[in-house]
Amino acid sequence: MKIYTKTGDKGTTSLIYGTRVSKNDARVEAYGTCDETNSMIGLALSYLNGEYFSGKEELQSIFHKIQTVLFHVGAELATPAGKEVKWKLEQKDIEELEQTIDLWDAALPQLTNFILPGGNQAGAALHVARTIARRAERQAVEIGDEVNPLVLSYLNRLSDFLFVAARYVNMHLGSKEQTLHEGN
């Protein structure tokens, strides 16, 4: 099987079940942005290669699950209204994010000011992944009532998770958080 199909050469693509839509359709934009989030998470994790800190393997395992769930989110977004979703998002997926957010946030210094995205490469990439997840959420909202409400909740919680994860990784790798410059 070849990787290219040539079926999208005229600006259309298929949703699950074969419905053809424009490549700039709201669904395609939303699931494409979930894929972009997933890729940025993969880049962030690649920066952790060679790094060591307590809990790194658990962190990588959590992110592997998140990357898998992001495929489920994409499947939800790529399934036309009224059709059965093959890989359903579940409330427990959101709850797992919340549990990890609470656990990691308890280990972090309390926020007293806005922080600037950055830190080490892994932390900075997680901050970028957070902004991409926010864009995916906005694009999913654009689809309207056809979107499973769990998709919107998951994307919203995922961006919160990625913010905390960026701080958590930066703390473990010794990167000091930068706050807004006073006086500006």
Side-chain angles (χ1 to χ4, degrees):
M1 183 173 148
K2 293 185 179 186
I3 190 71
Y4 55 88
T5 62
K6 300 183 184 181
T7 58
D9 289 355
K10 294 185 179 173
T12 64
T13 192
S14 290
L15 298 177
I16 295 176
Y17 295 105
T19 303
R20 300 291 298 175
V21 295
S22 172
K23 287 189 177 187
N24 68 353
D25 182 86
R27 285 187 176 282
V28 178
E29 290 286 343
Y31 73 70
T33 305
C34 287
D35 186 38
E36 191 178 340
T37 304
N38 211 338
S39 295
M40 185 55 71
I41 289 170
L43 178 65
L45 293 175
S46 77
Y47 290 136
L48 291 177
N49 290 340
E51 298 287 348
Y52 175 78
F53 58 88
S54 176
K56 174 185 164 185
E57 288 164 358
E58 180 184 10
L59 178 139
Q60 289 172 317
S61 176
I62 289 167
F63 271 108
H64 183 259
K65 171 84 190 288
I66 288 168
Q67 287 185 291
T68 301
V69 172
L70 270 172
F71 272 97
H72 296 180
V73 170
E76 292 255 9
L77 294 168
T79 301
K83 299 285 188 176
E84 183 182 353
V85 176
K86 293 179 181 180
W87 297 301
K88 287 190 177 244
L89 190 61
E90 299 176 12
Q91 181 65 36
K92 73 176 179 78
D93 297 318
I94 297 163
E95 292 166 2
E96 287 172 1
L97 284 178
E98 291 171 344
Q99 290 167 2
T100 306
I101 290 169
D102 293 343
L103 180 68
W104 289 354
D105 195 45
L108 292 167
Q110 184 176 0
L111 282 176
T112 58
N113 202 342
F114 288 105
I115 61 167
L116 298 173
N120 63 67
Q121 289 178 318
L126 289 169
H127 277 296
V128 175
R130 170 186 54 83
T131 65
I132 298 169
R134 286 278 186 218
R135 181 165 26 101
E137 179 187 9
R138 292 189 303 272
Q139 290 168 332
V141 167
E142 191 70 27
I143 297 167
D145 293 341
E146 296 177 4
V147 173
N148 177 350
L150 290 177
V151 166
L152 298 178
S153 294
Y154 187 83
L155 291 172
N156 183 278
R157 210 71 75 251
L158 178 61
S159 60
D160 295 334
F161 171 85
L162 291 167
F163 175 75
V164 171
R167 294 187 69 217
Y168 186 77
V169 166
N170 280 335
M171 178 187 75
H172 279 285
L173 296 180
S175 293
K176 186 178 186 300
E177 292 179 331
Q178 299 295 312
T179 58
L180 297 176
H181 188 273
E182 298 297 322
N184 286 343

